[in-house]
Amino acid sequence: QVQLVESGGGLVQAGDSLRLSCAASGRTFSTYGMGWFRQAPGKEREFVAAISWSGGNTYYADSVKGRFTISRDNAKTTVYLQMNSLKPEDTAVYYCAADMLNMGGGRWSVQGSWGQGTQVIVSS
C-alpha cells in the first residue's frame, strides 16, 4: 500500500501563501486520483481538493475555490496544494489521500492511504 508523507505546513498570517507537498511511495502513484482533506479543531474532516491520475481534472470545495490549486508531478510521485490568500478559517490539519473516488454531490471516498497530516495555522 502506498505510503504518504505530507510537508509544508506552518504558521502564517492571513493573506499569506503556503504550499503543501505529499510525497508518495509506490509504483502505482500515476494510476489513481489524489486529494487533500482537512480537519479543524472540533470539526469533522472535510474534502478540500482532488486531482485525477493524469492531472487533467481538478475538483475543489467551494470554500477554497479560486484560492487553492492542486497539482501533481507523477515523475516525482508528489502531489501539491498551493494555498493563497489564506484565512484564519483555513486553520486545520491537512491530510493527503490516495485513490480518491468521486461519490457525487461533492462527496469523496478514499480507497487508499492517508498521510499523517501537516498543521496549518493562519493568524488574523
Side-chain angles (χ1 to χ4, degrees), residues 71-93:
S71 61
R72 67 188 296 161
D73 185 333
N74 285 344
K76 296 182 177 180
T77 63
T78 301
V79 63
Y80 305 97
L81 186 68
Q82 178 67 43
M83 305 186 295
N84 297 331
S85 302
L86 282 162
K87 304 175 181 180
E89 50 263 44
D90 295 318
T91 294
V93 177

Side-chain angles (χ1 to χ4, degrees), residues 6 16 28 30 40 67 74 76 84 91 117-118 120:
E6 300 101 330
D16 286 351
T28 59
S30 62
R67 299 188 298 123
N74 285 344
K76 296 182 177 180
N84 297 331
T91 294
T118 186
V120 173

Side-chain angles (χ1 to χ4, degrees), residues 43-102:
K43 295 188 177 181
E44 293 187 353
R45 191 173 298 189
E46 64 175 1
F47 168 76
V48 174
I51 188 167
S52 62
W53 64 271
S54 67
N57 294 294
T58 56
Y59 310 85
Y60 298 94
D62 288 342
S63 59
V64 306
K65 203 171 292 183
R67 299 188 298 123
F68 290 11
T69 303
I70 188 171
S71 61
R72 67 188 296 161
D73 185 333
N74 285 344
K76 296 182 177 180
T77 63
T78 301
V79 63
Y80 305 97
L81 186 68
Q82 178 67 43
M83 305 186 295
N84 297 331
S85 302
L86 282 162
K87 304 175 181 180
E89 50 263 44
D90 295 318
T91 294
V93 177
Y94 284 71
Y95 297 91
C96 178
D99 199 3
M100 302 279 289
L101 179 65
N102 192 341

